[in-house]
Amino acid sequence: MRYQLGRRAVLAVWAALIVVPLTVVVFGTFKTTAELFESPFSPPGSLTLGNYRAVLDGALGTAFVNSVLVTLASVALTLLLASLAAYACARIPGWVGWVVFGFLVLGMSVPAQANMVPQYVLFDSLGLLDSRLGLVLINVVVTLPVAVFILGGFMRTLPRDLYEASAIDGAGPWRTYRSIVMPLAMPSVAATAIFLFVIHWNELLYPLLFISSPEKRTIPLALLSFQGEYLTDYPLLFSGVVVASAPIVLVYVLLQRHFVAGMTAGAVKG
Amino acid sequence: MSRLRARGRRRASRIHPALYLFPLPALVLYVVFFAVPTLQAVQYSVTDWDGFSPDFANVGIANFRDALTDDDLFRNAATNNLKFMLVVVVLQTAFALLLALLLARNSRGGILLRALFFFPTILSSVSVAFIWKFVYDPNFGLGNRFLGAVGLDGLQSSYLGDDAAAIYWVALSQVWFHVGQMMVLFIAGLQAVPRELYEASAIDGAGRWAQFRHITWPMIAPATTIVVAYTTIQSFRAFDLILGLGGNPPRPSLDILSTRIYATFVNSEYGYAAAESLLFMLLIAAITVAQRQLLGLTRGSV
């Protein structure tokens, strides 16, 4: 009995720690700064959209479009390249497959700061700085290792007979990849896609390094630059937070189970 | 019939040469934009290159020596980073385990709470930073308001304004940010523990604590190893949260290694930044290896 009471108390406190600040944020987007400071917990008096209009007309509107484009392209390209590599590495017999796989996966242990200086110089010399294409490219490169790792874990579970059967039916490797491997790999591809979506949508370091024109900023970068411009205009900052989080929260509510699978797939083997 | 099948099988187990082309796009991008730059970082680290001058000098190990012995900013960032890491690893692992123990069984309410606790993980670090900026606001923030409401005015604080404590307050927001993700890893570990063990021990008269001590704890050792390793790496990636809460560049009391390297780089000290980043990488590698030794990594757990 005492255990049940303690259990409930701990869970209630933790739930409050999450629900209360988030509620204050959402309510705050409909308030003026004075109202927010006066009574942060009270529901908003009116549902005025002034703060949202202000952030969307300002930097965040363009940034939203940029983020959508960059994120979708990055996720799609990473998945394509990683699944091709993971499939081939699982299929190529002997040490060759393992060496290529191990080499690609090795990148997981290199922190972003370790190679950002030469990467910046390289992107500069190729004219890829301050471009959305450059952002897509660096996103793909940086997340390839973990994507290959997660997908490779799945590809190795596919039985060899499957490939043999498809070869007997006359399918080449491309056909096998497209019509057999990828459909079977869908659960692990979906988990990886969500994992990549969260990473790419929230990525800050590379936009910060690479992007100089305000009109090419992505959401996290535009949000960070708010901090300087609107030092304590919390209602405006909160509107930015809500706009930045909306797509990811929407997908989370729809696909909650896959999210958890995706965000932990990299940590647990297989 | 069987001869035909054997022939088919032989042909099938031969690898189509085109398959070797499949990893090529990934490999080319990875080598050109990732592997080579990583090696180049080593090359830069022994120079005084400023990123612009066509000629620069080879300075040997001077950059490394300066970072380790002379550079107060670098040492300050390293100290902050270690404090931050220790607090985050201890608290995040403890809270994640506690929540996982309370939510390991699949009840409907429990599943809902798991989803709620996991939720902050998917937000961007800048968003999380803004939420906590308001909690920590000394005049209007939720933190001091709450303490005032429950009559603990004496505990009210200026939070990030207090240089000695600032890094610990950021550590708390980091725990809030990622504890749900670690909780999920622990739940996966807990659900793999066979029920019979508990039933058998209950017959032997083991209490709740004895069961935890002798069954649960040993059985979730692999999950603990993963959580601690993951949390450590995350604490070195707290870059975004620090910039959001501490400014860009952050105040010295909130500077950690990743932000320090970034500031050095922005300051056009390319050679020196490269040296700092290699030391950073070595430190992470050393801590990871030390943890594996200490926690006695179970085979096949990572």
Side-chain angles (χ1 to χ4, degrees), chain A residues 144-159:
Chain A
L144 253 180
V146 67
V148 169
F149 178 73
I150 302 174
L151 292 172
F154 178 82
M155 300 294 182
R156 289 193 191 286
T157 64
L158 293 180

Side-chain angles (χ1 to χ4, degrees), chain B residues 166-178:
Chain B
I167 193 75
Y168 300 114
W169 293 115
V170 181
L172 287 188
S173 13
Q174 170 82 357
V175 172
W176 182 88
F177 193 8
H178 287 301

